[in-house]
Amino acid sequence: MEASVILPILKKKLAFLSGGKDRRSGLILTIPLCLEQTNMDELSVTLDYLLSIPSEKCKARGFTVIVDGRKSQWNVVKTVVVMLQNVVPAEVSLVCVVKPDEFWDKKVTHFCFWKEKDRLGFEVILVSANKLTRYIEPCQLTEDFGGSLTYDHMDWLNKRLVFEKFTKESTSLLDELALINNGSDKGNQQEKERSVDLNFLPSVDPEMVLQTGHELLSELQQRRFNGSDGGVSWSPMDDELLAQPQVMKLLDSLREQYTRYQEVCRQRSKRTQLEEIQQKVMQVVNWLEGPGSEQLRAQWGIGDSIRASQALQQKHEEIESQHSEWFAVYVELNQQIAALLNAGDEEDLVELKSLQQQLSDVCYRQASQLEFRQNLLQAALEFHGVAQDLSQQLDGLLGMLCVDVAPADGASIQQTLKLLEEKLKSVDVGLQGLREKGQGLLDQISNQASWAYGKDVTIENKENVDHIQGVMEDMQLRKQRCEDMVDVRRLKMLQMVQLFKCEEDAAQAVEWLSELLDALLKTHIRLGDDAQETKVLLEKHRKFVDVAQSTYDYGRQLLQATVVLCQSLRCTSRSSGDTLPRLNRVWKQFTIASEERVHRLEMAIAFHSNAEKILQDCPEEPEAINDEEQFDEIEAVGKSLLDRLTVPVVYPDGTEQYFGSPSDMASTAEHIRDRMKLVNLKRQQLRHPEMVTTES
């Protein structure tokens, strides 16, 4: 019977073992009766429980029962005494009925217990509380009977519950631990067969049971199980009641079985951990070699554009993300395996190393494939990026070549030509970069078969290779077409440069010719002081005209070249409508002015030559000097020359232009008049020689 089952009855304190002993060392059983009617069945249950606590040795010494009837009726006391005969007749040696101060009526108490000793089997005495010490030492009596023994029923009951709970739990736990430990000691085959049975856990926590036992043992060792701190150091559950030895024995057994159980759990945990690791390793390996590899096998293309390559990269990143989850499991498993290897259990080293090697090989191989695929897609993206840039450069160059050139001058043509050459050079650099990227990509594709898991990737690779080579060949053809067009455009632009140069030089020739005309009119005005000087001026003028003639011819040749270039370029020359008329007009003006200059110089030569003949004394030709006609001719030439100096040069368009300034012309005319005066004086001298003699 357990206290927890009859706890409500025990709490009523119908009877108790206070821990006191009689003079024979028998235990004292106290039955405190109260005013209310005592339930005999509950009392009987209480007595049965209390009498089951002491050991057989203790019971053999007998019990002294104190029936406290001070608050009860005589018939109740009598019933209790009679009940003791039925409950514990052999164990009861003395029954002390504590009577009240006002004793029961003699009629009531006429029943003599001492006469019934043989029938009852024990002695019954009526005694007042103050006389109870005649039979029992005061130190063995509780305070209710004037003794000094301290007893707390609820404290005893709580500790009794703890003891019984510990005993029950520890006994059950010992059986469970023994079953688990004994099962783990059997062979592998039996363990496999009973693996389900051996995997159960104890119904209670061994640590908690051990803690409870140690606390209980501490209480027992302090001899405070049924007493308080200030009470007598004696307990009914001491050595006599086998409580402390029983607890110690249970604790020793529990520690032994629990130590074995911990080792069993450790071995089982290690084996379970190893099995879990093996299971997880196979999950990682199976996924990487299964769905993971299938994902990589399905991704073989490189795309045909930047957008397509980026889409493939995004898909690859999703694949990498899925792989990362399994790689994280790999890292965790690798750490767990390393921890187990460091534990040093040689029986598992081979299996652990094999699992670690298998896991590492598969993960590293898969990681290498992912990296290879990523590098391949990155190379393809760079290749398509270079191809797109080159295509845009070619489009820009082609667009530039398709636009007709209409520059304003040669400098802009030179700048355009320089820009064209730079674009062509940039295309060359871009094409070279495309070849390098393409060759690198082809080299990577050629290595793709090394991780194809036996899959024939020749067809897929051929498509990729054909695409790459096709892009490079297409760019080469486009570049070649652009180069041919650049050559044509270069020739055309060089011709245009030459055209502009010819036009500029022709315009310069017109300017030079205009400057010669201006110099002729403004600086070529002297007619000479004598015939000799005039002849020199005439010779210089002819050379000056030759220079002008060369300038005019040079301009004509340049304009003829512009006509040819314009015909070649299929464009209209601006010179034909502007420069050529200007050149012809200036040349015509120069020719008229030059002819006028020649006429004047020739007249001056004739004037000076005749005048000099007359003015010089020439006795060899007196008849010539005396010829009046010569004087008249000289005078006529001089007047004609003077008149000519006052006449302007008239151009075909009606404009007029004078040689030099009026002062220059006046100076020249004055010199001619002076000569004419000398000639007239000579004429008079020849007519009147006496005038000369008189004067002399």
Side-chain angles (χ1 to χ4, degrees):
M1 184 181 299
E2 296 180 1
S4 58
V5 177
I6 58 173
L7 183 60
I9 299 176
L10 292 177
K11 286 183 178 180
K12 293 180 180 181
K13 197 180 177 182
L14 300 178
F16 61 89
L17 291 169
S18 64
K21 296 182 181 179
D22 57 18
R23 291 185 174 89
R24 300 186 311 275
S25 297
L27 295 177
I28 297 176
L29 175 63
T30 304
I31 302 176
L33 299 177
C34 55
L35 294 176
E36 293 80 5
Q37 184 68 29
T38 301
N39 189 320
M40 294 302 155
D41 293 335
E42 292 181 349
L43 178 60
S44 177
V45 171
T46 302
L47 292 175
D48 289 341
Y49 175 75
L50 292 176
L51 294 175
S52 67
I53 295 175
S55 63
E56 295 299 328
K57 182 178 179 181
C58 233
K59 292 179 181 179
R61 289 195 290 268
F63 291 88
T64 295
V65 181
I66 299 177
V67 180
D68 188 2
R70 290 175 293 178
K71 297 179 181 181
S72 181
Q73 299 296 325
W74 164 248
N75 58 344
V76 175
V77 173
K78 180 181 178 181
T79 304
V80 170
V81 171
V82 174
M83 185 185 65
L84 290 174
Q85 179 186 12
N86 299 325
V87 177
V88 284
E91 287 82 0
V92 177
S93 58
L94 175 64
V95 175
C96 296
V97 178
V98 180
K99 62 184 179 178
D101 294 336
E102 294 181 359
F103 195 59
W104 296 294
D105 191 309
K106 290 184 177 181
K107 294 181 179 180
V108 177
T109 59
H110 181 71
F111 178 76
C112 295
F113 287 109
W114 62 273
K115 294 181 179 180
E116 300 294 330
K117 179 179 180 181
D118 294 336
R119 186 174 63 86
L120 294 175
F122 49 79
E123 181 182 1
V124 180
I125 60 175
L126 295 176
V127 62
S128 60
N130 56 0
K131 300 291 181 66
L132 194 59
T133 55
R134 296 179 182 179
Y135 305 97
I136 302 173
E137 295 295 334
C139 64
Q140 302 298 321
L141 292 174
T142 61
E143 295 176 353
D144 295 336
F145 303 109
S148 58
L149 181 63
T150 301
Y151 173 75
D152 186 344
H153 184 70
M154 293 308 298
D155 182 66
W156 171 87
L157 183 58
N158 290 334
K159 287 182 173 58
R160 186 65 191 175
L161 290 172
V162 172
F163 173 76
E164 289 185 355
K165 179 182 179 183
F166 168 73
T167 304
K168 180 180 179 181
E169 289 181 350
S170 59
T171 303
S172 175
L173 181 60
L174 281 173
D175 294 339
E176 294 176 358
L177 293 178
L179 179 62
I180 295 173
N181 295 336
N182 294 334
S184 63
D185 293 336
K186 296 183 179 181
N188 294 335
Q189 184 62 32
Q190 293 178 352
E191 183 177 356
K192 292 180 181 180
E193 293 176 355
R194 300 184 57 193
S195 58
V196 177
D197 295 332
L198 295 178
N199 283 334
F200 71 85
L201 296 175
S203 58
V204 293
D205 184 7
E207 294 287 348
M208 294 297 296
V209 176
L210 285 172
Q211 182 179 356
T212 302
H214 285 297
E215 292 175 355
L216 178 60
L217 181 61
S218 177
E219 290 288 339
L220 292 175
Q221 289 174 345
Q222 293 176 11
R223 307 175 66 83
R224 292 172 51 206
F225 189 86
N226 265 340
S228 61
D229 293 340
V232 178
S233 58
W234 188 88
S235 170
M237 295 189 67
D238 207 341
D239 293 340
E240 291 82 359
L241 300 180
L242 299 178
Q244 183 173 335
Q246 185 177 358
V247 172
M248 293 178 62
K249 182 178 180 181
L250 287 173
L251 285 175
D252 292 341
S253 299
L254 275 176
R255 279 192 290 266
E256 179 184 357
Q257 290 294 337
Y258 185 52
T259 301
R260 290 181 59 193
Y261 171 73
Q262 287 179 320
E263 178 62 22
V264 169
C265 290
R266 191 186 71 81
Q267 293 293 336
R268 184 182 300 167
S269 175
K270 185 182 69 174
R271 189 63 207 173
T272 302
Q273 185 179 8
L274 184 61
E275 292 175 355
E276 291 178 354
I277 290 176
Q278 185 177 12
Q279 182 180 4
K280 290 182 179 179
V281 167
M282 294 311 300
Q283 288 178 352
V284 174
V285 170
N286 291 336
W287 190 89
L288 292 178
E289 292 183 345
S293 298
E294 287 298 329
Q295 289 178 348
L296 284 177
R297 290 192 190 101
Q299 298 295 316
W300 54 266
I302 61 173
D304 56 359
S305 63
I306 292 180
R307 181 176 298 179
S309 296
Q310 289 175 340
L312 290 175
Q313 272 192 333
Q314 183 177 0
K315 178 64 178 177
H316 183 73
E317 289 175 356
E318 295 176 359
I319 296 176
E320 282 185 333
S321 177
Q322 296 181 18
H323 279 75
S324 297
E325 298 177 0
W326 291 97
F327 288 153
V329 177
Y330 156 70
V331 173
E332 181 181 355
L333 288 174
N334 201 33
Q335 293 175 350
Q336 294 178 4
I337 294 175
L340 291 177
L341 289 175
N342 293 331
D345 293 336
E346 296 184 358
E347 58 184 12
D348 299 327
L349 288 179
V350 176
E351 184 176 0
L352 286 172
K353 288 182 178 180
S354 176
L355 288 174
Q356 188 180 43
Q357 187 64 40
Q358 181 184 13
L359 184 62
S360 298
D361 291 344
V362 174
C363 289
Y364 278 115
R365 183 170 61 247
Q366 200 75 357
S368 299
Q369 295 162 11
L370 289 171
E371 183 179 6
F372 179 88
R373 175 63 180 171
Q374 178 61 34
N375 294 337
L376 182 66
L377 291 177
Q378 183 61 36
L381 182 62
E382 293 176 358
F383 171 77
H384 290 125
V386 173
Q388 179 173 298
D389 293 341
L390 179 58
S391 178
Q392 292 175 353
Q393 292 178 2
L394 289 170
D395 291 340
L397 180 58
L398 183 61
M400 184 177 178
L401 293 171
C402 291
V403 176
D404 194 14
V405 180
D409 51 31
S412 61
I413 293 179
Q414 292 286 2
Q415 185 177 0
T416 303
L417 185 59
K418 181 180 179 181
L419 179 61
L420 198 63
E421 295 292 347
E422 290 176 352
K423 285 185 174 292
L424 185 60
K425 184 178 180 181
S426 177
V427 168
D428 288 335
V429 174
L431 183 60
Q432 181 61 31
L434 181 67
R435 291 195 185 109
E436 293 176 358
K437 294 292 184 181
Q439 187 58 48
L441 187 56
L442 289 174
D443 293 340
Q444 285 184 285
I445 291 177
S446 64
N447 296 328
Q448 188 174 6
S450 62
W451 52 269
Y453 287 108
K455 179 184 177 182
D456 186 8
V457 295
T458 304
I459 299 177
E460 292 84 349
N461 282 344
K462 186 176 184 303
E463 292 182 5
N464 294 332
V465 170
D466 291 344
H467 168 68
I468 296 169
Q469 292 177 345
V471 170
M472 291 193 293
E473 291 174 359
D474 179 63
M475 293 299 172
Q476 177 64 39
L477 291 175
R478 291 178 61 186
K479 187 250 185 183
Q480 186 62 47
R481 288 195 296 268
C482 287
E483 281 184 341
D484 296 339
M485 295 178 68
V486 167
D487 292 339
V488 175
R489 177 57 60 89
R490 185 187 296 112
L491 177 60
K492 182 176 181 180
M493 296 180 75
L494 290 176
Q495 288 178 342
M496 294 185 71
V497 170
Q498 188 176 5
L499 173 62
F500 277 106
K501 181 64 176 174
C502 289
E503 290 181 346
E504 291 175 1
D505 291 347
Q508 185 64 49
V510 174
E511 294 296 327
W512 288 343
L513 197 58
S514 297
E515 291 175 359
L516 290 175
L517 175 60
D518 188 62
L520 175 63
L521 294 173
K522 292 181 179 181
T523 61
H524 293 211
I525 56 177
R526 294 185 69 252
L527 297 179
D529 296 335
D530 53 31
Q532 184 63 32
E533 183 181 0
T534 303
K535 290 179 180 179
V536 173
L537 290 175
L538 180 60
E539 185 63 27
K540 288 182 178 180
H541 176 72
R542 286 173 178 167
K543 292 180 179 179
F544 182 77
V545 172
D546 291 340
V547 172
Q549 181 68 50
S550 299
T551 302
Y552 172 71
D553 293 340
Y554 176 66
R556 291 281 299 183
Q557 292 174 0
L558 290 174
L559 292 175
Q560 289 176 357
T562 59
V563 173
V564 175
L565 290 173
C566 286
Q567 291 175 352
S568 176
L569 295 172
R570 294 183 179 85
C571 65
T572 302
S573 172
R574 295 174 296 177
S575 301
S576 60
D578 183 18
T579 308
L580 183 58
R582 286 176 55 218
L583 179 64
N584 291 331
R585 183 174 64 253
V586 174
W587 175 247
K588 186 64 176 177
Q589 292 173 353
F590 183 87
T591 302
I592 294 173
S594 175
E595 290 176 353
E596 180 62 25
R597 174 68 173 168
V598 170
H599 289 318
R600 291 184 181 187
L601 288 174
E602 288 177 349
M603 289 177 68
I605 291 173
F607 172 76
H608 286 300
S609 296
N610 292 331
E612 288 174 359
K613 288 180 182 180
I614 294 175
L615 293 176
Q616 291 177 359
D617 292 335
C618 298
E620 297 84 3
E621 299 178 357
E623 67 283 356
I625 297 175
N626 295 327
D627 190 356
E628 288 291 334
E629 294 179 0
Q630 291 183 357
F631 286 99
D632 295 336
E633 183 180 353
I634 292 173
E635 186 177 1
V637 172
K639 289 181 179 180
S640 298
L641 186 56
L642 289 173
D643 293 338
R644 195 138 194 158
L645 289 176
T646 61
V647 176
V649 178
V650 181
Y651 295 141
D653 57 357
T655 59
E656 298 178 350
Q657 186 68 42
Y658 289 93
F659 280 93
S661 62
S663 61
D664 293 335
M665 292 296 100
S667 176
T668 302
E670 185 64 26
H671 178 70
I672 294 173
R673 290 189 186 98
D674 290 341
R675 270 299 178 98
M676 290 178 69
K677 289 179 180 181
L678 290 176
V679 171
N680 288 330
L681 182 60
K682 185 68 175 179
R683 184 177 184 179
Q684 291 177 3
Q685 289 177 356
L686 291 177
R687 287 179 179 177
H688 307 282
E690 66 278 6
M691 294 178 60
V692 177
T693 303
T694 302
E695 292 177 0
S696 62

